[in-house]
Amino acid sequence: MSARRSASASGAELLLDEIREQPAAWRRLLEREEEIAELGGRLAAADPVLVRIAAHGTSDHAAAYAMYALRLLCGWTAMRDSMSLPLSYGAAAAAPGELAIGLSQSGETPDVVAWLEAARAAGATAVAVTNADEGSSLARAADGVVSLSAGPERSIAATKTYTCTLAALALLGAHAAGGERGTALAASLRETADLAESALPALEAAVLPVADVLAGTERLYSIARGLELATAAEVALKLTEVAYLCAKALTATSMAHGPVAALDRAFPVWAVAADDDTLAGVREAVRRARDAGAPVIATGPAAAALEGAAFTLPTPAAPDPLLSPLLSVLPGQLFARALALAKGIDPGAPRHLRKVTLAA
Amino acid sequence: MSARRSASASGAELLLDEIREQPAAWRRLLEREEEIAELGGRLAAADPVLVRIAAHGTSDHAAAYAMYALRLLCGWTAMRDSMSLPLSYGAAAAAPGELAIGLSQSGETPDVVAWLEAARAAGATAVAVTNADEGSSLARAADGVVSLSAGPERSIAATKTYTCTLAALALLGAHAAGGERGTALAASLRETADLAESALPALEAAVLPVADVLAGTERLYSIARGLELATAAEVALKLTEVAYLCAKALTATSMAHGPVAALDRAFPVWAVAADDDTLAGVREAVRRARDAGAPVIATGPAAAALEGAAFTLPTPAAPDPLLSPLLSVLPGQLFARALALAKGIDPGAPRHLRKVTLAA
């Protein structure tokens, strides 16, 4: 840790490099499309009655994305399952005919591995999604493996492995959906990588003045609804682990159930707006946040539709709306880094952390 | 709102009255045991392949509890489902053979009502759990209704409706499990009410010095694992809406994935410890929080097992561990009120809020 702490400037560069590398990492994932298509086809043939997903932290946000993406692509009901139910309480982990997906960037998160083993032993088809190789503990517990191909992630804060996990799950679901859906989504992913590459330089510049104005921030909500909830959760985590905020993700509607009470001028709201039927709820939540005096940072493809925002950081519309979360998380990753620098924190080496979370 | 704001002292009393009233409210619920047993029997006969639950805010925390309680009692896989999947994206809300449960204290939360209607139309058996009467919109959308009998809840912050929802879901699940499980759980609930009544006066006194010491707090994590995750989420929400903290609930393990980095001496951790296999994970998270300099408030039946806590607010062991969350939330409810008073906030009338969340 002390070696990391002393490498402050390079830590910030490292994180920026990994944020910038994301479009290239998605393209590397596309080189493995054939493998993913083959696995998707096998899963579709098994036609799972239920998809159980287990993960922690950033990977759990990818699981939140999968809950939407797999249902919309394949009609599969997917849930973020409890690991403690089988591991601590002795409940059955799964049942035959189900699909169990374990997400772990390192491939070594002990309870995710133990959970996937238990689900497979209970008769579920087990799939590992990991940035580790086929020899990882998670891969060895699985019937099928999706390798993220994100390359080594040296920053403790996950960025490229997060968006690669989203891309991999979308590709897997699209290929399981059959027909031309898989190749169409792959083409959209390629375009999304181009869009990200074009958008990143302007976003890198745009977050700097926001970070300067909000450098005193210690509390923040990030809100969204639907497919972008994963983005809200991931942005909150980046701001927490990189810039030491207490940042809490909420559905736009839940914010109005109580948390709005805590807002004030020093308690901003990061709002992710998609250009679909969820927009009305996010607009209404933003209106209430503004009435409470909170500065609003409007992001996402429909950022411009959020009235009265203090700052607007729009992201391009993805060619396939299912891929929008790959783009809408980018300003949050960049803002977390910029805010850390504005606060004098080394964003490449968060305090008190190691890369692989050993169980509990 | 202005009438509420001016009634500051009585607002604080009102909230305390409702916290104190909880054991009596659970006993009132027990008067409806026959109805709940009948509904449980009907649901067991239908033997649902999947239980989908939808709710916002406090009710969503009760849904998190149900995910554990229904699986442990009946072997039913229960999930907190997305309302926006059917309502905004056009996905099927449910399928025949499934059980859909809508939770809304008011019985009028628009998207919960719309979601339950959609799930029922898709062939699921629909159940409403609400503190409203049979004429509420949610009850009209359902095949079966559990009435909480909590009585009018006049504080905006939900307390007795939360624990009544937990009790109702546990009773429903226990009666669905069949045999003597239902009557045994009812007897345990009666004992739990007695335990709560005995414990409340000491807890009311015990939270005051903690609130005095922590009056400057603006950020807090509440952590737990397993069945007590609902408690962690609910305590975080109470602290947010009543005492205006940014309070974030995390699984003990996820805290170590990144959020630990943000902790410091002014950023306490509220830890809920159960006396079961989840304890090791909570102990390890507490150790890491302490190493990061955060003051730890240890609560729950195994509070004494969390070493080095700055404050310890233990709760009695429930006669049935499934009912432990009814007791372990009490110090959090009381602390939220005490902290609000210590900060000069009226805990009975949070800013910017109305009681029924209108949709979005």
Short mmCIF file of all heavy atoms in Angstrom, two decimals, chain A residues 8 339-346:
data_model
loop_
_atom_site.label_atom_id
_atom_site.label_comp_id
_atom_site.label_asym_id
_atom_site.label_seq_id
_atom_site.Cartn_x
_atom_site.Cartn_y
_atom_site.Cartn_z
N SER A 8 1.61 8.67 -6.38
CA SER A 8 0.37 9.41 -6.52
C SER A 8 0.08 9.86 -7.95
O SER A 8 -0.96 9.55 -8.50
CB SER A 8 0.42 10.61 -5.58
OG SER A 8 -0.78 11.30 -5.65
N LEU A 339 -12.64 14.61 -9.29
CA LEU A 339 -13.01 15.08 -7.95
C LEU A 339 -11.94 14.67 -6.94
O LEU A 339 -11.60 15.45 -6.04
CB LEU A 339 -14.38 14.51 -7.56
CG LEU A 339 -15.02 15.10 -6.31
CD1 LEU A 339 -15.28 16.60 -6.47
CD2 LEU A 339 -16.33 14.39 -5.98
N ALA A 340 -11.41 13.45 -7.09
CA ALA A 340 -10.32 13.03 -6.20
C ALA A 340 -9.15 13.99 -6.32
O ALA A 340 -8.62 14.48 -5.32
CB ALA A 340 -9.89 11.60 -6.55
N LEU A 341 -8.76 14.32 -7.55
CA LEU A 341 -7.64 15.23 -7.74
C LEU A 341 -7.95 16.60 -7.15
O LEU A 341 -7.11 17.21 -6.50
CB LEU A 341 -7.29 15.34 -9.23
CG LEU A 341 -6.65 14.06 -9.82
CD1 LEU A 341 -6.52 14.17 -11.34
CD2 LEU A 341 -5.27 13.79 -9.19
N ALA A 342 -9.20 17.07 -7.36
CA ALA A 342 -9.59 18.37 -6.81
C ALA A 342 -9.54 18.36 -5.28
O ALA A 342 -9.33 19.40 -4.65
CB ALA A 342 -10.99 18.76 -7.30
N LYS A 343 -9.75 17.18 -4.68
CA LYS A 343 -9.71 17.08 -3.22
C LYS A 343 -8.32 16.71 -2.69
O LYS A 343 -8.14 16.53 -1.50
CB LYS A 343 -10.71 16.00 -2.76
CG LYS A 343 -12.17 16.36 -2.98
CD LYS A 343 -13.12 15.21 -2.63
CE LYS A 343 -13.41 15.15 -1.14
NZ LYS A 343 -14.54 14.22 -0.83
N GLY A 344 -7.37 16.51 -3.61
CA GLY A 344 -6.02 16.17 -3.18
C GLY A 344 -5.83 14.71 -2.82
O GLY A 344 -4.95 14.34 -2.04
N ILE A 345 -6.67 13.85 -3.40
CA ILE A 345 -6.59 12.41 -3.13
C ILE A 345 -5.95 11.72 -4.34
O ILE A 345 -6.19 12.12 -5.48
CB ILE A 345 -8.02 11.84 -2.93
CG1 ILE A 345 -8.67 12.48 -1.70
CG2 ILE A 345 -8.01 10.32 -2.83
CD1 ILE A 345 -10.18 12.25 -1.63
N ASP A 346 -5.19 10.68 -4.11
CA ASP A 346 -4.64 9.89 -5.21
C ASP A 346 -5.72 8.93 -5.71
O ASP A 346 -6.04 7.95 -5.03
CB ASP A 346 -3.43 9.10 -4.71
CG ASP A 346 -2.90 8.15 -5.79
OD1 ASP A 346 -3.44 8.17 -6.93
OD2 ASP A 346 -1.95 7.41 -5.50
#
